[in-house]
Amino acid sequence: MKFKLIAEYFDRLEKISSRIQLTSLLSDLFKNTDREVIDKVVYLIQGRLWPDFTGMPEIGMGEKFLIKAVAMAYGNKEEEVEKLYKSVGDLGEVAYSLRSKVKGVSILSFVGGSQEAGELEVTEVYNELVKIATSTGEGSRDIKIRIFAGLIKKATPIEAKYLVRFVEGRLRLGIGDATVLDALAITYGGSADYRPIVERAYNLRADLGDIARIIATEGIEKLKNISPTPGIPIRPMLAERLPDPEEIMEKMNGKALVDYKYDGERAQIHKSGDKVTIFSRRMENITDQYIDVTEYVKQSVKGDNFIVEGEIVPVDPESGEMRPFQELMHRRRKNNIAEAIKEYPVNLFLFDLMLFNGEDYTTKPLPERRAKLEEALTSNDKIYIASHIIADNVDKLKNYFYQAISEGAEGVMVKSIGPDSIYQAGSRGWLWIKLKRDYQSEMADTVDLVVVGAFYGKGKRGGKFSSLLMAAYNPEKDVFETVCKVASGFSDQELDELQRKINELRREQKHPRVVSDMIPDVWVSPTLVAEVIGAEITISPLHTCCRNEKGGLSIRFPRFIRWRDDKSPEDATTNQEIMEMYSKQLKKIEEKPVDENI
């Protein structure tokens, strides 16, 4: 399959903002894709070579490397390429322009090559990019540059444009996983009605390229038999939130299992034979950060292969008391993991089981899953079943909530124990409900929001990005709707770091998945997630979250709390959650007038 076809579709997709049109065109691309390379095409659409959970390296070519490669490929001086880049602002467009001017390029200069420009195959492109990503050690920098220079030298202008953008991490297609799922259902099932089948398979085996390969080569019926597989993460089950214990118990029909909600890192732990792998909430392989946890699991959880879920919580090395989540950041930054384990010890609190000795437990109710987990675990001073009770009245829930807070937890997770209490991988529903400490205040609820734009500051902050346009996630439409503008809560260090984060993700135009009437100084790709606290939710004509004829919903007096690197954009607070919080607020206070300053 010719890579040029992929590049031409990318060019068309980039110009579309309608999700319906994006889905239609993406489906058309899949129809014209050889089944043998459909997985590679899907990865390229995602802007990656493989799923994050594989732990494989990224391409590792920054701006300077790319400038060198473009200069080498087209016979220009690096200074010329850099000057063009500063003028145009898009290195892909620079490559397109320079390649268009090159006449009669000697293809023989491409190591052993004899093909004409435009004959790049998808597999060839993919394999060359893999070589670049996996080149390490002394001289790897020059190897990466030479391989990529050779690749774009042989490419047509449009191929060069998207190869550079891919390596740079700026494809700008505006396509999320949800749109890919829709397109796969339409292409290989014949209708969007097959979306639930495709989505369930992806939720249980979070490798979109692999799911595409299965459906393309074996048919959609094969997806119905997909089950969890050790080594491939399951998309985590999500929870709703409510501030009122009475309503929570009503949702649970008067009886529920209540777990502590720990202030730690949610971990999905896989074992196959003697190998233990740990995935984060974002399905990234974090095993190297928690070598000690892998040993706890090997020693204390019986079973040849299983998938369990829990919370890794930092503890005080002397008292054993729980410490804040931020303590875990030291493990990410420490080069010497053995030293980090001693300085920042952790405990593991398990709360669910999804696979055990080859048997899929995601379809079984929570009591059955918990019973198997308790049977398999031998607790010790490092690994436990999450602290829990069965609550059958509101007072019992409240008392346990306050007990959790007093012991250093964030709050509690209230979980259905009814016959329908299955593990809803990748879904948010009323089977799990969060009750956190901050929800007890009428004037302060925390939410996790996505950065979609940035504004320059004034005065002491002049010339720096100092406020962020934040958005909630609308899963039904697969878009991000603005809900507030955050300018407070940042430390000087966080502000300095913010400049780098924004510059890496800035865009010339609004991302197709962002719905906003506000126009920031720069648009940002919806990637960063931050925890934000606010005074209240009110109606605003300026924001698009839950918009109706009265306006949208906005958070008043928002303040930055911390970055949520453990969450993907699609894990952010949803528009429906914002609406639920607003509805609860209206029961306690009168609706306040629109604040035009928000």
Side-chain angles (χ1 to χ4, degrees):
M1 182 180 178
K2 303 298 182 187
F3 182 72
K4 186 178 180 182
L5 179 66
I6 305 294
E8 289 171 344
Y9 269 99
F10 281 4
D11 193 52
R12 294 166 64 188
L13 288 164
E14 181 187 316
K15 297 176 174 66
I16 296 173
S17 59
S18 163
R19 188 184 173 195
I20 294 175
Q21 293 177 352
L22 280 172
T23 304
S24 177
L25 188 56
L26 193 56
S27 177
D28 193 51
L29 168 58
F30 290 156
K31 289 173 184 175
N32 287 288
T33 296
D34 292 345
R35 294 171 188 263
E36 293 74 16
V37 297
I38 184 68
D39 54 342
K40 295 179 176 62
V41 172
V42 167
Y43 292 142
L44 292 174
I45 290 167
Q46 290 182 299
R48 59 182 59 152
L49 293 175
W50 31 59
D52 292 338
F53 68 76
T54 61
M56 293 292 285
E58 296 180 356
I59 287 182
M61 285 188 71
E63 185 180 291
K64 291 183 179 179
F65 284 13
L66 284 171
I67 288 173
K68 287 178 180 291
V70 171
M72 181 184 294
Y74 305 132
N76 298 89
K77 294 180 179 180
E78 289 178 34
E79 294 79 7
E80 295 172 341
V81 176
E82 189 168 6
K83 184 177 179 181
L84 274 172
Y85 176 42
K86 287 181 178 178
S87 172
V88 176
D90 182 343
L91 204 50
E93 290 290 355
V94 171
Y96 181 94
S97 175
L98 293 176
R99 179 63 186 87
S100 299
K101 296 174 183 177
V102 176
K103 304 295 182 184
V105 176
S106 173
I107 302 303
L108 295 177
S109 62
F110 183 75
V111 184
S114 60
Q115 295 168 292
E116 294 298 326
E119 289 189 356
L120 286 175
E121 300 283 342
V122 171
T123 300
E124 175 189 8
V125 168
Y126 184 85
N127 290 341
E128 291 297 291
L129 292 173
V130 168
K131 287 180 186 177
I132 294 171
T134 54
S135 293
T136 58
E138 187 176 352
S140 61
R141 185 193 76 168
D142 293 334
I143 292 172
K144 289 174 184 282
I145 293 171
R146 285 201 302 272
I147 293 174
F148 191 65
L151 193 59
I152 60 174
K153 186 171 186 176
K154 190 164 60 169
T156 62
I158 196 167
E159 289 174 316
K161 172 181 177 177
Y162 286 98
L163 281 169
V164 169
R165 282 189 177 177
F166 177 87
V167 172
E168 195 179 14
R170 296 185 176 183
L171 268 184
R172 306 175 181 177
L173 301 182
I175 294 174
D177 290 353
T179 304
V180 177
L181 293 173
D182 282 340
L184 288 172
I186 292 169
T187 305
Y188 300 106
S191 162
D193 293 341
Y194 286 91
R195 161 69 186 270
I197 297 174
V198 183
E199 185 172 12
R200 179 184 179 277
Y202 178 46
N203 286 341
L204 293 179
R205 191 179 295 181
D207 181 341
L208 202 50
D210 188 47
I211 295 300
R213 180 191 58 78
I214 292 171
I215 192 175
T217 59
E218 301 182 63
I220 200 160
E221 290 298 315
K222 184 71 174 180
L223 293 186
K224 294 180 180 180
N225 300 320
I226 289 287
S227 62
T229 302
I232 302 178
I234 297 170
R235 297 182 72 203
M237 182 170 173
L238 305 174
E240 297 286 356
R241 67 175 79 196
L242 282 175
D244 184 355
E246 291 189 9
E247 185 170 357
I248 290 175
M249 290 307 294
E250 287 179 12
K251 290 278 188 183
M252 295 296 167
N253 295 316
K255 192 174 184 179
L257 184 146
V258 185
D259 281 332
Y260 275 17
K261 188 182 189 313
Y262 297 95
D263 187 16
E265 177 152 26
R266 186 171 177 178
Q268 193 178 111
I269 303 169
H270 295 228
K271 182 173 183 285
S272 180
D274 293 328
K275 183 179 181 181
V276 173
T277 310
I278 304 175
F279 298 108
S280 71
R281 181 192 177 102
R282 295 192 66 170
M283 298 174 290
E284 296 169 331
N285 191 324
I286 55 174
T287 310
D288 290 346
Q289 297 172 36
Y290 298 110
I291 300 300
D292 47 343
V293 175
T294 66
E295 292 303 315
Y296 304 162
V297 172
K298 288 178 184 178
Q299 295 167 11
S300 300
V301 185
K302 301 186 295 288
D304 296 326
N305 65 80
F306 54 75
I307 301 175
V308 295
E309 193 167 23
E311 199 86 13
I312 298 174
V313 180
V315 294
D316 186 283
E318 295 183 4
S319 68
E321 294 181 353
M322 291 187 284
R323 305 293 295 162
F325 168 82
Q326 285 81 356
E327 294 283 317
L328 297 178
M329 296 300 102
H330 295 288
R331 289 212 176 200
R332 295 187 183 184
R333 297 168 186 149
K334 282 276 188 181
N335 293 324
N336 187 337
I337 189 61
E339 181 183 332
I341 288 173
K342 291 179 181 178
E343 290 185 29
Y344 307 101
V346 298
N347 285 348
L348 174 63
F349 297 90
L350 296 175
F351 58 77
D352 220 324
L353 176 146
M354 295 88 93
L355 179 82
F356 192 79
N357 286 349
E359 186 175 358
D360 183 359
Y361 270 75
T362 62
T363 58
K364 302 180 187 297
L366 177 59
E368 191 171 342
R369 301 199 307 273
R370 183 61 67 96
K372 176 56 71 174
L373 179 61
E374 292 179 353
E375 177 188 320
L377 176 67
T378 301
S379 297
N380 55 40
D381 61 347
K382 295 294 184 182
I383 181 171
Y384 310 82
I385 296 291
S387 297
H388 63 282
I389 62 166
I390 299 295
D392 54 9
N393 61 67
V394 174
D395 288 340
K396 202 169 184 180
L397 171 57
K398 286 182 178 179
N399 290 337
Y400 199 63
F401 169 81
Y402 292 122
Q403 176 184 318
I405 296 301
S406 69
E407 294 183 6
E410 286 188 306
V412 293
M413 294 286 290
V414 187
K415 301 177 179 180
S416 169
I417 53 176
D420 63 343
S421 58
I422 62 170
Y423 189 92
Q424 293 181 319
S427 298
R428 191 186 305 274
W430 294 106
L431 295 180
W432 289 8
I433 303 175
K434 289 184 257 187
L435 178 63
K436 288 172 62 177
R437 173 172 44 193
D438 44 278
Y439 301 166
Q440 292 299 292
S441 168
E442 292 182 8
M443 300 302 293
D445 291 338
T446 63
V447 289
D448 298 317
L449 302 175
V450 181
V451 181
V452 297
F455 300 84
Y456 289 110
K458 298 178 181 179
K460 293 182 179 179
R461 294 186 177 183
K464 283 187 174 183
F465 298 117
S466 64
S467 60
L468 302 175
L469 183 59
M470 310 298 293
Y473 179 54
N474 182 331
E476 184 178 344
K477 296 181 179 179
D478 191 28
V479 296
F480 299 94
E481 300 171 345
T482 66
V483 71
C484 67
K485 183 177 167 186
V486 177
S488 63
F490 300 101
S491 66
D492 290 340
Q493 182 179 347
E494 285 166 339
L495 273 178
D496 290 340
E497 181 68 10
L498 182 63
Q499 312 310 305
R500 181 188 64 79
K501 290 177 181 287
I502 297 302
N503 281 321
E504 286 179 355
L505 297 170
R506 63 188 297 170
R507 314 169 39 91
E508 294 302 316
Q509 297 179 334
K510 178 168 63 71
H511 195 281
R513 296 172 72 197
V514 171
V515 182
S516 174
D517 286 348
M518 297 187 75
I519 301 177
D521 292 325
V522 297
W523 293 105
V524 177
S525 292
T527 300
L528 300 172
V529 181
E531 184 175 3
V532 174
I533 195 167
E536 64 176 353
I537 299 173
T538 186
I539 294 176
S540 167
L542 303 179
H543 290 286
T544 57
C545 182
C546 302
R547 172 172 282 176
N548 59 23
E549 64 278 1
K550 294 182 180 179
L553 293 182
S554 175
I555 297 173
R556 296 191 73 204
F557 309 124
R559 181 165 57 87
F560 172 84
I561 300 298
R562 59 170 171 161
W563 294 111
R564 293 304 305 263
D565 296 327
D566 59 322
K567 288 195 172 187
S568 69
E570 288 78 11
D571 288 332
T573 299
T574 66
N575 61 327
Q576 191 57 44
E577 286 183 286
I578 297 289
M579 176 59 78
E580 290 284 345
M581 294 167 72
Y582 178 64
S583 297
K584 300 304 171 191
Q585 177 184 290
L586 289 182
K587 292 182 179 179
K588 298 179 180 180
I589 59 174
E590 292 183 1
E591 184 176 351
K592 296 186 177 181
V594 174
D595 186 341
E596 301 290 349
N597 294 317
I598 294 179

